């Protein structure tokens, strides 16, 4: 089963974004371009699908993944990081900041 965590750098960026926009949620959909980065949206402005899976919370904010992506990644632990760069996902709240979110993964070591 997939877990989600965040690096100190990501937690700092979450705090900055929440201070500017209020509570947010993250969605990891997969694919190319914007879909390969975790997208950060104001809570209530992103409509979750019936197949989306709640992985947990980071910095007190929920993280979801699409059902098909969950099936592909269900044996990994996801680590949300923040790295230097101005171009986050096109509609993500990290876009245009000095840092952007990035998903890293590690193979689960538990059964």
């Amino acid at each position: 089963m997939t877990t989600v965590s965040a690096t100190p750098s990501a937690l700092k960026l979450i705090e900055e974004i929440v201070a500017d926009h209020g509570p947010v949620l993250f969605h990891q959909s997969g694919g190319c371009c914007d879909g390969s980065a975790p997208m950060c949206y104001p809570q209530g402005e992103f409509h979750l699908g019936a197949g989306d899976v709640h992985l947990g919370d980071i910095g007190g904010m929920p993280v979801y993944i699409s059902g098909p992506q969950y099936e592909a990644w269900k044996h990994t632990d996801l680590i949300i990081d923040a790295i230097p760069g101005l171009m986050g996902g096109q509609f993500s709240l990290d876009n245009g900041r000095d840092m952007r979110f990035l998903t890293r993964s590690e193979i689960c070591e538990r059964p």
Side-chain angles (χ1 to χ4, degrees), residues 7 11 13 19 26-28 47-48 55-56 60 67 74 77 79 81 84 93 101 105 109:
T7 65
L11 293 173
L13 183 55
F26 289 85
H27 191 269
Q28 182 75 47
H47 299 284
L48 295 167
L55 295 178
K74 66 185 176 186
D77 291 324
I79 301 120
D81 198 0
L93 294 175
F101 293 112
S105 63
E109 294 186 19

Side-chain angles (χ1 to χ4, degrees), residues 5-83:
S5 61
T7 65
S9 179
L11 293 173
K12 182 175 185 260
L13 183 55
I14 292 167
E15 286 180 16
E16 292 172 11
I17 291 173
V18 168
D20 291 343
H21 297 279
V24 299
L25 68 80
F26 289 85
H27 191 269
Q28 182 75 47
S29 62
C32 69
C33 306
D34 289 347
S36 58
M39 302 293 281
C40 179
Y41 302 104
Q43 285 187 20
E45 291 190 21
F46 180 81
H47 299 284
L48 295 167
D52 288 334
V53 176
H54 180 232
L55 295 178
D57 296 340
I58 56 173
M61 304 298 134
V63 179
Y64 296 88
I65 189 169
S66 69
Q69 199 66 15
Y70 177 78
E71 285 302 313
W73 288 9
K74 66 185 176 186
H75 300 296
T76 63
D77 291 324
L78 301 183
I79 301 120
I80 308 301
D81 198 0
I83 61 170

